[in-house]
Amino acid sequence: MGGISVELSNFAEEILDEILEILWTKLEEGGQESVPRTDIVVGQGPVDEEAVAILADKGFLSITDDLVQLTDTGFEEARRTIRRHRLSERLFYDIFDVAAEEMEEVACRFEHIMIKPGLEEKICALLGHPRLCPHGRPIPVGDCCHRAETQIDQKVVPMSDLRQDEAGVIAYVSTGDSDKLKKLMAMGILPGEPVTLQRRYPSFVFTVGRSRFAVDQGMAEAIYVRRSDPVSS
Amino acid sequence: MSGCRILMVGNPNVGKSALFNRLTSSYVVVSNYPGTTVALSNGRMKHEGVEYAIVDTPGMYSLFPITEEERVARRMIMEEPADILLHVVDAKNLPRMLPFTLQLIEAGLPVILVLNIMDEARKAGLAIDAGALEKRLGIPVVPTVSISGEGVRHLKETIAGYRPGGRRLNIDYGLSVEKTVRESARFMPDTSFTPRATALQALQEDKDVLRLLSTVGSGRASKFFEALNQLKLELDRPVNYYLTMGRQRRAEQILADVVKEVEVTGKGSGAGLDRFLMNPWTGVPILLAVLYLGFYRFVGGFGAGTVVDFLEGHLFEQYFVPFVNGWAEKLIPWPVLRDLVANEYGVLTMGIRYAVAIVMPIVGAFFLMFSMVEDSGYLPRLSLLIDRLFKKIGLSGRAVIPMTLGFGCGTMATMVTRTLESTRERVIATVLLALAIPCSAQLGVIFGLAAESPGIIVTWIGVVGAVFLLVGYLIAKILPGETPDFFMELPPLRMPRLGNVWLKTSTRMRWYFMEILPLFLLASVLIWAGNLTGLFEAALSILNYPTRWIGLPEEAAQAFLFGFFRRDYGVAGLYDIQQGGVLTGNQLAVATITLTLFLPCVAQFLIMFKERGWRVAMAVSAFVFPFAFLVGGAVNFALNALGINL
């Protein structure tokens, strides 16, 4: 990766994003009218005057009598930042099995990489367009989420979304509950294995190799399958 | 080698138990569903004058245990090193089974790979080059068919000629994992695994290894956790994923041209039937048909009716009892001792008579039917059919096996609840078994009692079924914890083999008699002693109150009291009263319902203590006793209030 200057600017970006996130949670989710300047605390440090000034310069904030509000563009920017942050939390929590304490820190860094065009949508699709972050707070909906609702031809879907007799290849086994993952992997339900869903009700019945398994809805939702012939609507 | 100790391990459903029976002269129950071997089975094998001790372990998928029984098996492998480890696999599923073999070899254990069920592999069109596999793995590989005995001789010779040592096998799990494994291997506690393999277990946060690790000092443990957390940050997936995939890749390389598909055959002949079994619209009617034919007609009609009538009504009533009573009169001058062997509560005239003439035919019929059902592979289908319903009462479809077995013998079933995953599930299953699942002995007599009136049976099924669901639902609400996951491998449907069914039935009967008959006799003696000391008199006078309160004659109190010693004793006691023609239809319904819900028999009670601990056992008893009478009273009240005469 780049030199010191890049890291420095990344660092500054991180602070800007964090301020936007604080404002979003207080204004949008906390229902506050405005936020006193002194309430904007990044890390343990005091109010970052410089960062607030940069955001105001960009036209994201309006400041009256030490009370801070988001402008319309600032609101939109904060929404996207929150979305990237909570998506990366989901990513690290669900797929990379990073402990909850460490998740926050890695997610904070990772959300900046997500600014790259297309990446955010890809990750959102990979995670199955999640609605909530691991803490249970809502993830703002993106364009890709709307599109996914109208199209059925998602390539990687939970096994619970396959049709009867549909075949595919296991893409990954995902779950916040790593016990489920261990059980499935122990039984040889592994990425790369071809699967065919034979029944959806009353339980999910599928074949992997020459073996057949029955699992419940919860387990079927944890197995992500790459469809072999995606149906286009 | 003398005093050689052999451990058998492998997935569920690979014919381990059948092979165990082939190798040893003893027999353990073999079935077409996971979870038969709940305890370790010990046996001896003799080959050319040398004796070997063989231990069969519960089925497990990998060295990472999921259920309690798997944990038992894994602990055996890790903490009590054996001289030889037989890894038994299903030959037609080699790609899925070999990673576990690799895991065992990698752990530095003395492994012989047994490719079992070769007949089905051949039928599936697979040709397996065992010689090539042997060379690549560096361990002996023996193909067998445990059901027919094919290859068993070869296996015995291989065991006799086995010399430990040989090639080491290290799987490459990728740079980051390898680095961490090397670092943390130094901190590992001693096990029968190599330090590397122990470290691999620890990296998957295996509870047993972490427990061992904490005993060797907190300094080493904290260093390990530091390394593990570092690794977790470096990896993009859980550690477990890397290890599993590493073994899987290696297995694929090894098997590349070892397994060849000679011909591709169509779906098995059972495919059509299988669909019907798994579809609720057809599956439920099939279940009802199985229950009607199996339980009602065969166990109830044939076992409890025809056979009991012959043994009890003919042989015992007409010949055995008068004969014993006559001889007792002549030979034993003291009436007290005479009553111990003969007359109303004698060991011979009551203990043996109940055990042989009433209970044996019924339990035997049940075990025969159950063995056929389980041999066919029907139970896993039933599990998936019923999982959604069982989830509502805090169980998963997996619990179908102990629950169904409970209709045979609640004691055996309570033992089998070990195959359930969480303590919560085990407690719920234990309570329901104690409360609302009648054992075959009870069931047979109940069907016999109520044979004249279908109304009694319908009332009985309705009330007991409702209690089962309601109590299950409420316990699931009260007990903290999560709803269990349901996952189960579905073995192919197989035509039950007569020999196998017979062996299973006779083994279970043998178990039943070894465990249960002494208790029957003990119960006879206790009842005799209770009568002698007046203790029963006192207990009966107390029990008379709730008995009268639920609208039953006082004689029934005696049946309840005896029912405490053995549930089926109680029902059999009712049977006697019914023969006397004292009970009305309503009373019969109330009596059968109360007795079914009543406390489990002594044996089940003891097993409850052993498996669940005294707190659960006492809590269950304290709940069941008043509850049984409460429901009985409510049914009596409802029937009378509605003016129903059954």
Side-chain angles (χ1 to χ4, degrees):
Chain A
M1 292 277 268
I4 294 168
S5 63
V6 176
E7 275 171 19
L8 271 179
S9 81
N10 264 351
F11 180 69
E13 287 281 339
E14 269 175 40
I15 292 173
L16 296 185
D17 280 357
E18 201 156 328
I19 291 173
L20 285 175
E21 284 163 19
I22 290 169
L23 289 172
W24 169 276
T25 41
K26 286 186 192 282
L27 295 171
E28 171 72 11
E29 289 171 2
Q32 277 175 242
E33 290 280 308
S34 57
V35 180
R37 231 183 153 123
T38 44
D39 280 8
I40 306 172
V41 181
V42 178
Q44 271 95 43
V47 192
D48 198 315
E49 294 296 336
E50 197 188 348
V52 173
I54 294 173
L55 286 173
D57 269 359
K58 287 188 174 181
F60 292 160
L61 306 182
S62 63
I63 306 170
T64 40
D65 300 337
D66 273 4
L67 288 179
V68 183
Q69 278 177 307
L70 285 166
T71 62
D72 284 352
T73 44
F75 189 81
E76 194 43 45
E77 185 65 22
R79 189 175 176 283
R80 300 205 55 156
T81 313
I82 280 282
R83 176 171 152 77
R84 284 195 294 265
H85 181 77
R86 291 183 183 167
L87 276 177
S88 32
E89 284 182 342
R90 269 254 82 96
L91 181 73
F92 283 98
Y93 189 75
D94 282 359
I95 297 197
F96 302 154
D97 193 29
V98 170
E101 317 83 69
E102 284 148 14
M103 175 180 76
E104 199 56 41
E105 195 197 329
V106 243
C108 270
R109 295 207 190 135
F110 189 74
E111 61 183 88
H112 303 288
I113 301 170
M114 261 209 249
I115 300 172
K116 282 186 186 167
L119 193 55
E120 173 195 313
E121 297 198 338
K122 273 184 191 146
I123 288 170
C124 189
L126 174 78
L127 294 168
H129 306 286
R131 292 287 152 85
L132 296 174
C133 79
H135 304 100
R137 291 189 292 251
I139 300 174
V141 175
D143 293 341
C144 64
C145 306
H146 288 305
R147 276 202 307 277
E149 268 174 15
T150 52
Q151 286 174 341
I152 348 165
D153 62 340
Q154 282 167 272
K155 273 193 172 157
V156 175
V157 295
M159 170 135 65
S160 51
D161 285 1
L162 290 186
R163 284 163 297 127
Q164 186 163 336
D165 292 321
E166 195 179 343
V169 172
I170 297 176
Y172 60 94
V173 177
S174 148
T175 160
D177 171 3
S178 71
D179 256 11
K180 268 191 187 121
L181 178 99
K182 279 171 188 157
K183 283 171 204 163
L184 290 167
M185 296 200 69
M187 288 193 296
I189 297 166
L190 303 174
E193 296 281 324
V195 283
T196 308
L197 184 69
Q198 293 186 322
R199 276 207 79 79
R200 298 179 45 84
Y201 192 86
S203 299
F204 289 84
V205 176
F206 59 95
T207 53
V208 172
R210 280 170 197 280
S211 300
R212 216 145 47 123
F213 297 94
V215 299
D216 59 20
Q217 177 91 25
M219 298 285 263
E221 278 167 8
I223 304 168
Y224 280 75
V225 180
R226 177 164 287 112
R227 293 177 140 154
S228 21
D229 59 322
V231 262
S232 44
S233 54
Chain B
M1 288 195 215
S2 66
C4 182
R5 201 162 148 277
I6 301 173
L7 208 60
M8 295 178 59
V9 296
N11 282 29
N13 281 316
V14 295
K16 246 176 9 304
S17 298
L19 189 67
F20 176 84
N21 292 319
R22 285 279 169 193
L23 289 175
T24 63
S25 38
S26 54
Y27 188 81
V28 287
V29 173
V30 180
S31 50
N32 195 6
Y33 69 70
T36 332
T37 316
V38 284
L40 304 159
S41 315
N42 291 288
R44 310 215 145 261
M45 173 185 111
K46 265 207 156 171
H47 182 73
E48 287 166 0
V50 186
E51 203 170 72
Y52 302 83
I54 306 189
V55 182
D56 185 20
T57 63
M60 57 193 292
Y61 285 97
S62 73
L63 280 179
F64 198 91
I66 297 169
T67 62
E68 197 50 39
E69 35 157 13
E70 288 184 28
R71 193 172 293 282
V72 170
R74 215 284 313 276
R75 227 170 253 167
M76 285 290 285
I77 301 174
M78 195 172 73
E79 291 169 24
E80 294 169 52
D83 297 300
I84 296 177
L85 209 65
L86 292 185
H87 183 215
V88 188
V89 301
D90 176 356
K92 68 178 182 304
N93 263 317
L94 208 45
R96 270 193 48 244
M97 310 259 164
L98 201 65
F100 188 17
T101 319
L102 296 180
Q103 207 177 2
L104 295 170
I105 303 174
E106 192 183 31
L109 301 168
V111 189
I112 295 178
L113 177 61
V114 182
L115 303 176
N116 198 23
I117 329 188
M118 281 299 281
D119 51 342
E120 283 186 12
R122 282 191 293 260
K123 241 183 257 167
L126 296 175
I128 300 168
D129 186 345
L133 188 58
E134 193 167 283
K135 279 201 199 93
R136 289 196 191 167
L137 290 173
I139 59 162
V141 175
V142 185
T144 56
V145 181
S146 56
I147 293 268
S148 73
E150 182 189 319
V152 171
R153 221 196 130 65
H154 180 193
L155 179 59
K156 283 186 180 175
E157 282 159 8
T158 310
I159 290 172
Y162 185 80
R163 294 287 169 272
R167 232 183 315 151
R168 273 253 173 278
L169 174 117
N170 276 347
I171 295 160
D172 185 0
Y173 296 111
L175 286 176
S176 303
V177 177
E178 289 300 331
K179 188 173 128 268
T180 315
V181 170
R182 263 199 312 281
E183 272 172 24
S184 45
R186 288 181 286 132
F187 314 135
M188 286 301 126
D190 279 339
T191 64
S192 65
F193 293 4
T194 60
R196 177 185 158 83
T198 312
L200 285 170
Q201 287 297 116
L203 288 183
Q204 297 173 76
E205 290 168 84
D206 180 316
K207 284 186 202 120
D208 286 330
V209 176
L210 295 185
R211 181 177 48 81
L212 286 174
L213 184 61
S214 67
T215 62
V216 295
S218 59
R220 278 157 83 178
S222 68
K223 268 185 191 160
F224 167 74
F225 280 114
E226 209 173 287
L228 175 59
N229 283 334
Q230 182 59 36
L231 177 66
K232 276 192 172 180
L233 279 178
E234 277 175 42
L235 296 181
D236 57 352
R237 300 268 166 115
V239 184
N240 181 268
Y241 176 89
Y242 276 84
L243 303 187
T244 313
M245 291 310 280
R247 284 191 290 269
Q248 182 72 15
R249 267 197 306 275
R250 185 64 171 266
E252 275 164 22
Q253 286 166 9
I254 290 174
L255 290 174
D257 44 304
V258 164
V259 182
K260 287 202 182 80
E261 272 189 57
V262 183
E263 55 189 276
V264 182
T265 46
K267 280 184 180 172
S269 53
L273 176 62
D274 219 0
R275 273 179 186 260
F276 288 123
L277 290 180
M278 293 190 291
N279 185 333
W281 293 106
T282 43
V284 172
I286 292 175
L287 171 64
L288 293 178
V290 169
L291 289 177
Y292 175 75
L293 289 175
F295 279 112
Y296 195 73
R297 303 295 303 197
F298 188 67
V299 178
F302 177 72
T306 317
V307 183
V308 169
D309 281 349
F310 174 74
L311 289 177
E312 160 78 2
H314 193 71
L315 282 184
F316 273 79
E317 288 290 327
Q318 288 185 6
Y319 301 101
F320 183 77
V321 174
F323 176 81
V324 172
N325 286 348
W327 276 100
E329 195 77 39
K330 276 186 215 156
L331 291 180
I332 308 170
W334 308 279
V336 169
L337 277 187
R338 203 185 298 148
D339 284 348
L340 179 61
V341 262
N343 299 334
E344 209 176 346
Y345 304 119
V347 170
L348 290 177
T349 44
M350 186 169 87
I352 293 284
R353 177 168 69 99
Y354 278 10
V356 174
I358 300 181
V359 174
M360 185 189 72
I362 300 169
V363 175
F366 174 84
F367 282 151
L368 185 64
M369 184 205 60
F370 189 77
S371 302
M372 256 159 59
V373 167
E374 73 177 342
D375 213 32
S376 68
Y378 178 60
L379 290 174
R381 271 86 186 161
L382 189 56
S383 297
L384 76 88
L385 199 62
I386 219 155
D387 177 58
R388 276 173 199 263
L389 178 67
F390 267 28
K391 285 272 166 67
K392 299 228 170 16
I393 56 172
L395 298 173
S396 82
R398 213 164 249 272
V400 158
I401 289 159
M403 288 302 166
T404 324
L405 199 57
F407 285 107
C409 173
T411 310
M412 210 184 252
T414 306
M415 244 163 73
V416 172
T417 55
R418 259 186 237 169
T419 58
L420 303 176
E421 247 188 275
S422 63
T423 318
R424 179 173 183 264
E425 226 185 326
R426 277 175 246 148
V427 169
I428 294 174
T430 305
V431 174
L432 292 178
L433 280 168
L435 182 69
I437 304 277
C439 69
S440 62
Q442 269 187 317
L443 210 55
V445 183
I446 286 168
F447 284 162
L449 277 174
E452 305 104 74
S453 159
I456 297 176
I457 300 249
V458 170
T459 314
W460 179 82
I461 291 176
V463 173
V464 174
V467 164
F468 177 86
L469 293 177
L470 188 72
V471 170
Y473 178 76
L474 290 178
I475 308 175
K477 280 259 163 198
I478 295 164
L479 272 188
E482 284 175 20
T483 316
D485 293 322
F486 172 64
F487 59 101
M488 192 175 241
E489 195 173 339
L490 293 181
L493 283 178
R494 295 175 179 136
M495 197 66 194
R497 285 176 189 247
L498 215 63
N500 203 11
V501 168
W502 171 245
L503 271 172
K504 266 189 213 184
T505 310
S506 56
T507 310
R508 289 214 165 97
M509 288 301 287
R510 203 187 306 154
W511 177 88
Y512 190 86
F513 269 87
M514 304 289 269
E515 301 286 316
I516 302 299
L517 193 64
L519 285 166
F520 264 89
L521 301 182
L522 181 70
S524 276
V525 175
L526 284 177
I527 290 171
W528 168 81
N531 270 326
L532 200 66
T533 52
L535 240 138
F536 266 41
E537 212 64 19
L540 274 177
S541 62
I542 296 171
L543 261 180
N544 278 342
Y545 292 104
T547 311
R548 266 203 306 270
W549 182 73
I550 62 172
L552 295 179
E554 284 183 1
E555 288 96 322
Q558 203 175 44
F560 288 129
L561 186 62
F562 292 177
F564 181 76
F565 291 92
R566 299 226 5 93
R567 269 212 287 201
D568 37 68
Y569 244 24
V571 193
L574 268 190
Y575 192 78
D576 281 353
I577 301 171
Q578 161 72 359
Q579 294 302 310
V582 191
L583 296 173
T584 67
N586 281 7
Q587 285 176 325
L588 213 50
V590 172
T592 48
I593 287 167
T594 313
L595 256 177
T596 307
L597 301 179
F598 204 64
L599 276 183
C601 70
V602 172
Q604 191 175 343
F605 189 68
L606 291 176
I607 288 285
M608 241 159 65
F609 254 95
K610 216 177 115 204
E611 296 280 318
R612 293 293 95 78
W614 65 273
R615 288 222 319 246
V616 172
M618 291 312 286
V620 172
S621 316
F623 165 68
V624 166
F625 184 78
F627 187 76
F629 280 103
L630 200 68
V631 174
V635 172
N636 183 46
F637 179 78
L639 287 176
N640 291 337
L642 296 171
I644 299 171
N645 280 311
L646 295 168

